[in-house]
Amino acid sequence: MRTIDEVIEAVRGRVVPRANEKVEMREAANRAKADIEKQFKGSKYPVDVLIEGSIAKDTWIKGETDVDIFVRFPPDYVKEEIAGVTISAAKTVFGEDKCFERYAEHPFVTVHLRGLMLDIVPCYRSEPGAWMSATDRTPYHTEFVQSHLSQDEKDEARLLKRFAKGIGAYGAEIKVGGFSGLLCELLAHHYGSFRRTIEAMASLKLPLLIDPINHYGGRDAEALGVFGSEFTVVDPVDERRNVAAAVTRTKLSEMMAAAVAFINRPSSAFFFPTRRALGPRQLKAIIRNERRQLLAIELGAMNVPPDIFWGQLYSARDKIANILRSGEFKVVRIMGWSDERACSFVIAELESRTLSPSRERAGPPVNSPHTRRYMEIYGSGDGVVGPWIRDERFFITTRRRHTDAATYLRGAVRECARTGGMPTLIAQHLARGVRVLVDGQIPILAKSREAAIFITEFIDGRPIWMKGAYGRAMN
Ligand code: CTP
Ligand code: MG
């Protein structure tokens, strides 16, 4: 087994770009920036074109090709205008066929350019505290990281970002609910190194408050009260924002457990996992041999911004879980997945997909004030077996209306969608028909390699890093 430091040094070579790669990347970003600047020269918009994000902060991971370019407008224009102007400038400069309009809090455009992916994002030149759009903080974040992190800390942030990616906890988007680039940078800065951050995560006691520029002057309780979150990293450019707000409790716990596993058995597989997809036959065999109790419901296509879609998908997942529970089915695990294009579904594992047709129900003690009423209701024996008396109480068995989870779910979900209980996009899809798959049919959902990986990992049941770290490979 290699030591932690040996593993870290080996991974460092894979995440820190070489000097010449950095030069090339910066030159490419600068060329794009200059092209956009030229486009705005002489226009009525006095904009700054800025290279932002991890390229500007020197925290991008070797080989990654995302470049964030911000077009910063004076506060005199409405959002629609700065978005429209930015998008049409990008189309003129790079050609319409290379531009893909996207939506975050406001529209932006992604340009595929000679192997790079440029995100061109409009924002406002607003003063700290008087933010006009969510993207206005970014130039200040960039400036903070540039001026407060040492070169070493930037490379340590790269290691942490790659670790978070490897364990599936990177990204603040709703889909992931994990650690953003900025959060990784602030953690690496606070703890001083990747290794110390991981050690801190491995023995983390909540609540945790990190306040990089001491906005709250050590008044931790006050700060934690303001944010109401057990895991708070105060934004250095906005004392009212928690940079860790997007991190779900589950992702934080996964990070903590992965940190323990990494310290216990250091391996580059945490950073660069090999993800396997079993074929439909193998999946079916596992499901059959282990008598797994699986159920999935197809939710179809999406053509809305990812955060909106994932928000709806996850809320549908929670609705489906509640529906199953109120039908007395015990939901062991339930997850939503989407390729963000044509295919999405919710998949659940139950303790049992079928329930017995009857269940025992305890009644009141025979000496209770309810005894007369109880016998009036059930004494006829209609629709129940009993009541009989055992020890001090009455008992009956009643019949369940639903014994098969799939049949029950199909009906209950249709009804829920019809009566407005499902998020709108999902309800629209369900109005065209509800398709529920069980057990051996589940592998039908593995239409792409990504879907097959997801289903394989769902059926395995462990986070990917745990498989590598603790033996027993699947199959
Ligand atoms: N950002 C944004 N809208 C986008 C793209 C980026 O508001 N469409 C902002 C983010 O909120 C963040 C910054 O731009 O403040 C950089 O975002 P991102 O690329 O996600 O993070 P990086 O730090 O660049 O990390 P990575 O290496 O993963 O690109
Ligand atoms: Mg970026």
Side-chain angles (χ1 to χ4, degrees):
M1 194 175 83
R2 290 190 301 169
T3 65
I4 282 207
D5 289 325
E6 284 165 358
V7 170
I8 292 174
E9 287 325 302
V11 172
R12 191 185 301 281
R14 296 170 72 180
V15 299
V16 180
R18 294 169 192 278
N20 64 321
E21 291 174 72
K22 287 193 183 181
V23 170
E24 275 168 32
M25 191 61 154
R26 292 204 177 102
E27 279 175 2
N30 274 318
R31 272 198 301 276
K33 169 179 134 108
D35 288 345
I36 300 168
E37 269 169 350
K38 216 184 296 160
Q39 183 61 28
F40 277 98
K41 200 151 269 152
S43 84
K44 68 169 188 168
Y45 301 103
V47 300
D48 309 313
V49 181
L50 310 163
I51 298 173
E52 293 292 334
S54 55
I55 304 292
K57 293 181 284 189
D58 195 8
T59 55
W60 82 91
I61 294 176
K62 181 185 168 84
E64 292 195 352
T65 55
D66 290 13
V67 179
D68 304 292
I69 295 184
F70 277 50
V71 183
R72 188 149 74 155
F73 291 76
D76 321 333
Y77 306 97
V78 295
K79 262 191 206 175
E80 290 71 27
E81 184 169 1
I82 68 169
V85 168
T86 304
I87 292 168
S88 63
K91 287 183 175 169
T92 314
V93 176
F94 303 106
E96 279 207 32
D97 56 320
K98 303 224 168 20
C99 294
F100 301 86
E101 285 183 46
R102 311 256 303 272
Y103 299 85
E105 186 227 17
H106 56 215
F108 66 104
V109 54
T110 297
V111 184
H112 295 215
L113 182 74
R114 294 186 291 269
L116 294 185
M117 301 260 278
L118 311 176
D119 274 359
I120 304 179
V121 186
C123 76
Y124 289 107
R125 195 180 300 130
S126 47
E127 291 303 315
W131 313 110
M132 296 178 61
S133 80
T135 42
D136 299 356
R137 292 185 189 83
T138 297
Y140 294 94
H141 288 151
T142 303
E143 207 278 316
F144 179 87
V145 172
Q146 285 170 339
S147 59
H148 286 73
L149 270 68
S150 65
Q151 187 58 51
D152 282 346
E153 286 171 351
K154 290 173 184 170
D155 291 346
E156 299 295 319
R158 288 179 157 107
L159 287 162
L160 186 59
K161 283 168 70 166
R162 189 59 247 181
F163 185 87
K165 274 188 195 206
I167 65 163
Y170 185 73
E173 59 271 27
I174 291 181
K175 172 187 176 181
V176 182
F179 294 63
S180 67
L182 179 65
L183 179 55
C184 293
E185 288 149 6
L186 295 177
L187 289 172
H189 177 55
H190 177 79
Y191 292 110
S193 71
F194 166 74
R195 182 174 173 166
R196 281 200 290 275
T197 308
I198 289 299
E199 285 165 353
M201 289 294 137
S203 57
L204 190 59
K205 298 275 176 293
L206 294 174
L208 173 67
L209 176 83
I210 295 174
D211 185 1
I213 62 163
N214 211 14
H215 279 303
Y216 288 86
R219 297 183 306 279
D220 287 18
E222 177 194 329
L224 286 163
V226 168
F227 296 103
S229 166
E230 296 248 84
F231 179 42
T232 297
V233 178
V234 183
D235 190 330
V237 310
D238 182 350
E239 80 267 16
R240 282 171 306 189
R241 184 169 173 271
N242 174 10
V243 178
V247 181
T248 63
R249 190 56 188 258
T250 299
K251 280 297 160 200
L252 178 60
S253 300
E254 285 177 4
M255 173 63 85
M256 290 158 63
V260 172
F262 177 71
I263 291 168
N264 191 39
R265 292 200 201 181
S267 153
S268 57
F270 284 86
F271 302 83
F272 300 101
T274 335
R275 303 186 69 185
R276 273 185 71 204
L278 297 179
R281 284 243 212 94
Q282 291 164 292
L283 289 172
K284 261 188 215 172
I286 295 173
I287 293 168
R288 189 182 52 238
N289 296 341
E290 299 178 0
R291 297 179 57 204
R292 301 288 287 271
Q293 306 287 303
L294 303 172
L295 181 150
I297 177 160
E298 281 190 289
L299 298 173
M302 87 155 199
N303 44 16
V304 291
D307 268 359
I308 294 178
F309 181 79
W310 284 99
Q312 294 210 4
L313 182 61
Y314 288 161
S315 122
R317 173 200 63 195
D318 297 344
K319 287 262 153 63
I320 290 167
N322 284 336
I323 290 172
L324 285 165
R325 289 188 184 115
S326 60
E328 293 184 66
F329 295 95
K330 171 111 177 53
V331 180
V332 180
R333 260 177 330 138
I334 184 159
M335 291 175 92
W337 187 83
S338 174
D339 65 1
E340 302 194 347
R341 289 185 306 277
C343 167
S344 51
F345 54 85
V346 166
I347 181 168
E349 176 148 35
L350 309 182
E351 246 177 35
S352 174
R353 257 194 330 96
T354 51
L355 297 174
S356 72
S358 63
R359 56 162 128 46
E360 190 184 64
R361 283 259 188 263
V366 290
N367 64 351
S368 93
H370 306 295
T371 289
R372 240 183 67 201
R373 181 95 187 102
Y374 185 80
M375 288 192 289
E376 268 161 23
I377 297 172
Y378 296 110
S380 69
D382 288 349
V384 302
V385 177
W388 65 91
I389 294 156
R390 187 171 75 225
D391 298 334
E392 76 286 5
R393 274 181 188 278
F394 291 107
F395 290 88
I396 52 176
T397 60
T398 59
R399 294 195 71 76
R400 283 199 167 91
R401 288 205 299 172
H402 313 284
T403 57
D404 179 81
T407 315
Y408 162 71
L409 190 65
R410 206 173 287 124
V413 161
R414 187 183 298 126
E415 189 55 20
C416 177
R418 205 181 58 75
T419 54
M422 282 283 169
T424 48
L425 297 165
I426 308 277
Q428 281 163 20
H429 178 82
L430 293 172
R432 294 193 289 273
V434 180
R435 189 159 180 234
V436 175
L437 306 174
V438 298
D439 301 349
Q441 299 167 329
I442 301 278
I444 295 171
L445 294 168
K447 290 180 188 118
S448 61
R449 184 172 151 75
E450 280 306 305
I453 289 174
F454 173 81
I455 292 169
T456 303
E457 291 176 359
F458 182 87
I459 287 175
D460 180 74
R462 289 170 292 179
I464 168 110
W465 49 265
M466 206 184 289
K467 269 185 260 191
Y470 294 93
R472 186 171 73 85
M474 209 182 162
N475 265 7

